[in-house]
Amino acid sequence: MTSLTENAGYPLAPSKSYQVCTRCIMDTVADQSISFDDDGLCRHCLRYDKLVSARHLRGDLGRDALQALVECIKAAGQGREYDCIIGVSGGVDSTYVAWLVKQHGLRPLAVHFDNGWNSELATKNIERVLCNIKIDLHTHVVDWDEFRDLQLAFLKASTPDGEIPTDHAIGALLWKEATSRGIKYIISGMNFATESISVPEWSYGHSDWRYIKDIHRRFGSVKLKTYPHFSLAYLCYANVVRGVRMVSILNYVDYNKERAKEILCNSLGWKDYGGKHHESIYTRFYQGYVLPRKFGIDKRYGHLSDLINASQISRSQALAEMKRPPYPEDLQQQDLAYVSKKLRLSPQQFEDIMRAPIKSFRSYRNLYEPVQLLRNTVNGLRKYHFYPR
Amino acid sequence: MVHARVIPCLLMRNGGLVKTVKYKNARYVGDPINAVRIFNEKEVDELVFLDIGNPGVPAIPNFELLAEIASEAFMPFAYGGNIKSIEHVKRLYSLGVEKIVLNTAAADQPDLVSAAAALAGSSGVIVSIDVRRNWMGKYSVHVAGGTRDLKRDPVEYARAVEQLGAGEILLNAIDRDGTMEGYDLELIGRVCKAVSIPVVAAGGAAHLPDLRNAAGAGASGLAAGSMFVFHGKHRAVLITYPEYEELERLFK
């Protein structure tokens, strides 16, 4: 397996001299475009310090703002069966959101995107939690033949965005359920405290249907008839004309992952599956096998650095964690066999995919500039409190 | 096994899982391979796969998919749908299918039931009896996905297939399929009294007490589709299966 790693661009001897941040664990290996200030603080930590006060409200400030927001959501949902939509995956963040909105007396509809890779634990968690706190569920099951074709197309495209087909569809599903049911608020589990670090080279395309379509046009073969997708125009329509808002509720509370897990385990019968986003077998495999081995990307650098900035773990804990494999080696091999089989790839075909030269979204048609413009606009509006956090 | 067998009954069409209501309106519910994997971890006793095909389109069993299912499933499973010859039967057994389910074939070529039983023993042969009530409340056996009325009484038909060598009967109440209104206990009672082979009831289960009621009416196996693939009032697709302890308590 080492040969794979060497071939595929783990820069064993980094071209520029090695440097690691003095606060988090981001370094010149994890992020090749990283920069540092004179004190040795990396650009991610600097960005965190700059934005944290605007994006994450703590303590009383957060409580008051959340209370005001809850009142808005309730008022907008009056006379309707549901006043907000939450996405559920069975993982910590989304489950904690479910618990939190119920605590605040909201009436959520849970929406789940089933892409054919659910683990048993994920489905069990969804079942247990929603039964225990009495939240109705709507599931969208993607057509497996279509979705398999799209996931395979992304593998063949050789960009590190293999999780985009899922992320994009979840977004599409949430916006569409909200607009079609007349629900004004989507409550998301995104949070600044534990997922602020993003390296552009790690992943791109959540909102870029043009990019997804182009990859599918080149490498796919099954027509996408039912795959949920959205254009930027639709996103503007949902936001501006229909007035649907996406709120990251965890930015209003002191969100601590370990404490959240405790609450979920003790009061909702939720079970920990270990590892971020490991509720999906494909995500686990993509992030723990394909990304590190083929692209030299290990997202744990980002997750753990976030937790350091949020004071939820120490730097030495994070470094110790990075010494371990992304997930247990025997499970990686099991997943490799299962994923190949499910995608109908022979071991050789999978190996060829792992060895294919790496590309980026820039090799394909995309809407990078408009997407960035839209993102910056929303962030700008957030700053002046014209858009919820 | 201390309690009655509780069996998820999964319908397939074009390689995907679907669920019907009264044998109509098939709704897509996902990929069979992942479903098998989830049921594995839920320690399900056994599974039944029925390929309901496309109406009017002649087809043969999807051997490739069944081989994949067999390689993934920890539990024994039964398969029915498009089985038309003893060659099909042989190939299915060799793929690792534990039991074959005959419906239309059992009516059209009764010899196939006997031949299959001779091949693998009665325990490997299930005859599926699909029953619909007519407007006068009289039961009648149907085949071909409920589209052809044999105009035969299920009790008499059940005795006949037992004679042919069927080791088990899968008794479907078409009118209850996918409705989640509870099993047709009268039908189950009548058929179970008439035969000595095990009868697996299907059609209508929604809650655990339904399973107990059907067992009380004489069924030795309880099959359900909607109950294990749908969740809550929006019939959201979510695979579930009762915990072992729950089943023990239920049948105590």
Side-chain angles (χ1 to χ4, degrees):
Chain A
M1 282 306 151
T2 46
S3 64
L4 260 183
T5 315
E6 281 160 16
N7 272 357
Y10 248 147
L12 294 178
S15 51
K16 58 180 162 183
S17 60
Y18 178 80
Q19 190 175 354
V20 58
C21 177
T22 48
R23 190 201 292 169
C24 75
I25 59 168
M26 293 299 282
D27 59 20
T28 41
V29 175
D31 174 9
Q32 305 196 3
S33 56
I34 199 168
S35 54
F36 299 89
D37 74 355
D38 296 339
D39 301 327
L41 214 53
C42 77
R43 67 185 171 105
H44 302 289
C45 287
L46 292 167
R47 178 176 172 272
Y48 184 92
D49 292 346
K50 197 173 123 203
L51 291 179
V52 68
S53 61
R55 297 292 291 278
H56 186 197
L57 300 175
R58 289 162 199 259
D60 290 343
L61 203 61
R63 197 170 311 135
D64 294 346
L66 181 56
Q67 206 45 52
L69 182 68
V70 165
E71 294 312 320
C72 280
I73 297 173
K74 283 182 181 169
Q78 226 157 42
R80 291 183 192 277
E81 191 175 8
Y82 307 107
D83 51 24
C84 58
I85 281 185
I86 56 173
V88 290
S89 66
V92 201
D93 297 350
S94 70
T95 310
Y96 190 69
V97 168
W99 179 81
L100 202 58
V101 294
K102 274 302 238 192
Q103 290 283 307
H104 284 84
L106 294 173
R107 294 169 292 125
L109 171 67
V111 171
H112 175 59
F113 176 66
D114 179 346
N115 67 358
W117 292 101
N118 273 342
S119 66
E120 192 274 333
L121 201 47
T123 58
K124 189 85 205 170
N125 275 336
I126 293 173
E127 179 196 352
R128 278 212 189 104
V129 168
L130 297 187
C131 280
N132 280 335
I133 51 178
K134 300 201 168 42
I135 296 179
D136 290 339
L137 175 69
H138 167 82
T139 307
H140 179 95
V141 184
V142 72
D143 182 278
W144 173 244
D145 284 334
E146 283 182 32
F147 198 70
R148 172 188 158 275
D149 193 54
L150 187 57
Q151 282 194 314
L152 203 51
F154 266 81
L155 284 177
K156 290 178 182 163
S158 224
T159 67
D161 305 319
E163 276 289 89
I164 291 301
T166 299
D167 292 346
H168 183 80
I170 291 174
L173 186 62
L174 294 173
W175 290 109
K176 282 189 178 156
E177 285 300 320
T179 52
S180 72
R181 292 171 189 267
I183 298 171
K184 297 290 180 196
Y185 286 90
I186 299 168
I187 317 272
S188 98
M190 288 286 292
N191 64 96
F192 194 78
T194 72
E195 39 192 25
S196 78
I197 291 183
S198 78
V199 178
E201 288 72 31
W202 283 2
S203 178
Y204 167 80
H206 299 70
S207 308
D208 194 339
W209 172 232
R210 186 173 203 229
Y211 170 47
I212 299 167
K213 218 167 42 180
D214 192 47
I215 284 190
H216 185 257
R217 184 181 63 84
R218 296 201 203 190
F219 301 103
S221 56
V222 177
K223 199 165 165 30
L224 300 182
K225 285 189 212 150
T226 60
Y227 173 75
H229 59 87
F230 64 94
S231 63
L232 291 183
Y234 179 82
L235 204 55
C236 293
Y237 163 78
N239 268 280
V240 180
V241 180
R242 301 299 301 274
V244 179
R245 290 284 175 269
M246 184 159 308
V247 181
S248 305
I249 195 172
L250 298 180
N251 287 341
Y252 292 81
V253 297
D254 295 330
Y255 181 52
N256 181 296
K257 253 198 179 149
E258 287 308 312
R259 275 209 303 274
K261 283 183 189 174
E262 256 176 57
I263 291 175
L264 299 181
C265 290
N266 297 338
S267 57
L268 304 183
W270 178 88
K271 270 194 192 149
D272 197 359
Y273 42 77
K276 189 178 166 72
H277 293 317
H278 285 191
E279 58 271 22
S280 152
I281 298 160
Y282 191 73
T283 309
R284 174 169 81 194
F285 179 70
Y286 197 80
Q287 294 198 354
Y289 187 95
V290 179
L291 282 182
R293 291 183 195 228
K294 173 165 177 171
F295 298 94
I297 293 171
D298 191 335
K299 290 195 170 173
R300 291 181 304 163
Y301 277 105
H303 299 155
L304 293 167
S305 293
D306 277 327
L307 292 175
I308 293 172
N309 272 323
S311 314
Q312 295 185 19
I313 55 167
S314 68
R315 190 164 183 280
S316 56
Q317 275 174 309
L319 288 170
E321 183 61 36
M322 287 310 298
K323 291 221 169 68
R324 299 174 30 185
Y327 71 112
E329 197 66 47
D330 52 335
L331 195 53
Q332 290 186 32
Q333 292 308 319
Q334 259 180 48
D335 286 351
L336 172 63
Y338 182 60
V339 169
S340 308
K341 179 157 87 177
K342 204 165 138 82
L343 294 177
R344 290 190 216 129
L345 290 170
S346 68
Q348 187 55 49
Q349 285 170 318
F350 193 84
E351 182 86 2
D352 291 345
I353 283 172
M354 291 296 284
R355 287 171 183 276
I358 295 169
K359 292 194 172 155
S360 95
F361 67 89
R362 292 176 204 280
S363 316
Y364 303 96
R365 284 186 199 163
N366 63 71
L367 289 171
Y368 182 73
E369 280 76 22
V371 167
Q372 291 315 110
L373 182 71
L374 198 67
R375 174 173 294 171
N376 293 338
T377 311
V378 172
N379 282 341
L381 290 172
R382 276 203 183 107
K383 203 155 132 194
Y384 299 105
H385 305 284
F386 290 128
Y387 199 95
R389 281 168 183 82
Chain B
M1 200 93 44
V2 290
H3 54 73
R5 293 174 292 146
V6 175
I7 309 163
C9 180
L10 306 170
L11 307 180
M12 303 196 294
R13 173 178 281 172
N14 303 333
L17 292 183
V18 296
K19 182 65 200 105
T20 51
V21 178
K22 299 185 182 180
Y23 283 28
K24 290 199 189 99
N25 303 326
R27 177 178 158 202
Y28 183 74
V29 298
D31 164 44
I33 302 297
N34 213 54
V36 165
R37 233 178 123 95
I38 293 176
F39 280 124
N40 276 342
E41 289 186 43
K42 291 185 180 293
E43 296 175 13
V44 167
D45 304 331
E46 58 183 275
L47 289 175
V48 174
F49 284 96
L50 301 175
D51 194 331
I52 62 171
N54 297 299
V57 181
I60 60 163
N62 187 340
F63 294 109
E64 201 180 314
L65 177 62
L66 288 163
E68 270 182 58
I69 291 174
S71 73
E72 209 50 62
F74 294 169
M75 72 295 273
F77 75 97
Y79 167 78
N82 299 319
I83 303 174
K84 294 191 182 78
S85 66
I86 195 71
E87 281 68 40
H88 286 170
V89 174
K90 279 183 192 158
R91 194 156 163 205
L92 288 167
Y93 285 138
S94 71
L95 284 178
V97 174
E98 182 102 351
K99 300 173 181 178
I100 55 144
V101 184
L102 300 172
N103 176 249
T104 315
D108 292 351
Q109 21 174 346
D111 293 349
L112 190 56
V113 178
S114 313
L119 195 69
S122 280
S123 63
V125 183
I126 303 176
V127 169
S128 151
I129 305 183
D130 298 357
V131 182
R132 183 176 270 144
R133 256 180 212 265
N134 70 9
W135 59 278
M136 295 192 23
K138 189 166 172 286
Y139 290 119
S140 180
V141 177
H142 287 62
V143 293
T147 58
R148 180 145 59 92
D149 189 351
L150 291 183
K151 302 210 164 67
R152 288 176 73 173
D153 176 62
V155 168
E156 172 262 318
Y157 188 74
R159 285 202 187 107
V161 299
E162 183 180 21
Q163 285 294 313
L164 288 171
E168 201 167 312
I169 287 170
L170 176 61
L171 183 62
N172 292 286
I174 300 177
D175 311 297
R176 303 287 178 112
D177 172 57
T179 61
M180 301 181 92
E181 290 169 345
Y183 288 105
D184 187 335
L185 300 176
E186 190 193 334
L187 175 66
I188 295 166
R190 280 203 209 171
V191 172
C192 289
K193 276 194 205 82
V195 294
S196 55
I197 52 176
V199 173
V200 176
H207 310 288
L208 290 175
D210 294 334
L211 305 181
R212 195 175 44 210
N213 294 342
S220 57
L222 299 320
S226 301
M227 179 175 170
F228 301 134
V229 297
F230 291 138
H231 172 93
K233 65 190 237 192
H234 297 302
R235 289 170 77 87
V237 175
L238 189 71
I239 291 178
T240 61
Y241 189 76
E243 305 260 353
Y244 187 77
E245 295 75 29
E246 277 180 279
L247 290 176
E248 280 206 312
R249 245 178 288 133
L250 185 71
F251 292 111
K252 207 153 56 184

